[in-house]
Amino acid sequence: MDSAIQDFRPTAIVVMGVSGCGKSSVGEACSKALGWALLEGDAYHSPESIAKMRDGIALTDADRAGWLLRLSDLLRQRQPGEGVVLTCSALRRKYRDSLRAGHAQLGFVFLALDYQDALARVRERPGHFFSPTLVADQFATLESPAGEPGVRVLDARLPLDTLVAAVLDWLAPQACGPSGREPMTPITPMTGDTA
Ligand SMILES: Nc1ncnc2c1ncn2[C@@H]1O[C@H](COP(=O)(O)OP(=O)(O)OP(=O)(O)O)[C@@H](O)[C@H]1O
Ligand SMILES: O=C(O)[C@H](O)[C@@H](O)[C@H](O)[C@H](O)CO
């Protein structure tokens, strides 16, 4: 493998995947563990897009375009070394490339989950705007990021703590504490990290 790819250590990450894969849960836990800011991508959808998803109407590329630009701009505004965790479905390659345009050291944590498990999680989750009827469309839209540079693929069924440890282990050489200076304590490598 190219050493530049091997040595790539993100200073910002996107926690990505289909609805219900655990983006918000894992993103929030990683943000706390790293002392990095958290950007919840769903908070930046337009009201029209939220209404569509609530009504069971899938978003199109056009619906997502402005949202991705907003997220990319937010990444661009980070100061060098200012870590950030963004939760964003980032289902297609071109969506991820829009985000990459905003940050040179952007990594992606892909929480891989199958359709039945995602559907069960979305159905069981109370009070969320996302309609379970849209889970199939999430999978139809998904282009796996496996093999793209700067991507870690994790099994979304692993316990939350294990997922967070895997992310910290990946980021450890570059990760900073809340002040942006202290290095993270190295994490013991774990099993189940599929990247
Ligand atoms: N590792 C995990 N193991 C078991 N359950 C989990 C795990 N991660 C998240 N969950 C549960 O799955 C459900 C979906 O999680 P979460 O809301 O974090 O997913 P999400 O990808 O952010 O979803 P959405 O994009 O639809 O907002 C929640 O009920 C959450 O508690
Ligand atoms: O690109 C998309 O279709 C959306 O981002 C969805 O994935 C939802 O926002 C999210 O999963 C629900 O919370």
Side-chain angles (χ1 to χ4, degrees), residues 46 51 89 136 141 154 172 181:
S46 67
S89 48
T141 306
L154 299 176
R181 284 190 295 277

Side-chain angles (χ1 to χ4, degrees), residues 56-127:
I57 303 167
L59 300 185
T60 63
D61 282 1
D63 293 322
R64 293 183 180 110
W67 173 61
L68 290 162
L69 276 178
R70 281 190 284 283
L71 297 180
S72 177
D73 279 345
L74 288 168
L75 291 174
R76 193 171 290 112
Q77 288 163 21
R78 309 306 298 181
Q79 300 300 315
E82 199 186 4
V84 61
V85 178
L86 169 65
T87 64
C88 172
S89 48
L91 297 175
R92 303 185 67 187
R93 173 72 190 248
K94 67 177 177 180
Y95 304 163
R96 294 186 287 277
D97 286 345
S98 295
L99 298 175
R100 286 181 176 113
H103 198 288
Q105 291 289 109
L106 189 63
F108 287 80
V109 175
F110 173 43
L111 298 175
L113 193 64
D114 68 23
Y115 170 70
Q116 291 301 341
D117 286 332
L119 183 62
R121 284 191 188 180
V122 170
R123 276 190 177 142
E124 283 159 20
R125 183 177 52 179

Side-chain angles (χ1 to χ4, degrees), residues 18-25 42 121 125 128 156 158-160 163:
V18 298
S19 184
C21 71
K23 299 181 292 293
S24 298
S25 310
D42 275 347
R121 284 191 188 180
R125 183 177 52 179
H128 195 284
L158 290 167
L160 189 59
L163 292 168

Side-chain angles (χ1 to χ4, degrees), residues 105-191:
Q105 291 289 109
L106 189 63
F108 287 80
V109 175
F110 173 43
L111 298 175
L113 193 64
D114 68 23
Y115 170 70
Q116 291 301 341
D117 286 332
L119 183 62
R121 284 191 188 180
V122 170
R123 276 190 177 142
E124 283 159 20
R125 183 177 52 179
H128 195 284
F129 67 83
F130 194 79
S131 168
T133 61
L134 289 178
V135 174
D137 185 79
Q138 294 276 291
F139 281 87
T141 306
L142 177 66
E143 296 167 0
S144 170
E148 290 173 24
V151 170
R152 201 70 157 174
V153 183
L154 299 176
D155 182 340
R157 297 166 305 173
L158 290 167
L160 189 59
D161 287 354
T162 308
L163 292 168
V164 174
V167 174
L168 296 187
D169 186 49
W170 184 37
L171 300 176
Q174 294 276 311
C176 298
S179 73
R181 284 190 295 277
E182 309 94 28
M184 296 291 303
T185 308
I187 305 290
T188 311
M190 39 73 67
T191 56

Side-chain angles (χ1 to χ4, degrees), residues 6-19:
Q6 228 169 0
D7 292 345
F8 178 77
R9 289 287 184 273
T11 53
I13 55 169
V14 179
V15 182
M16 63 156 288
V18 298
S19 184

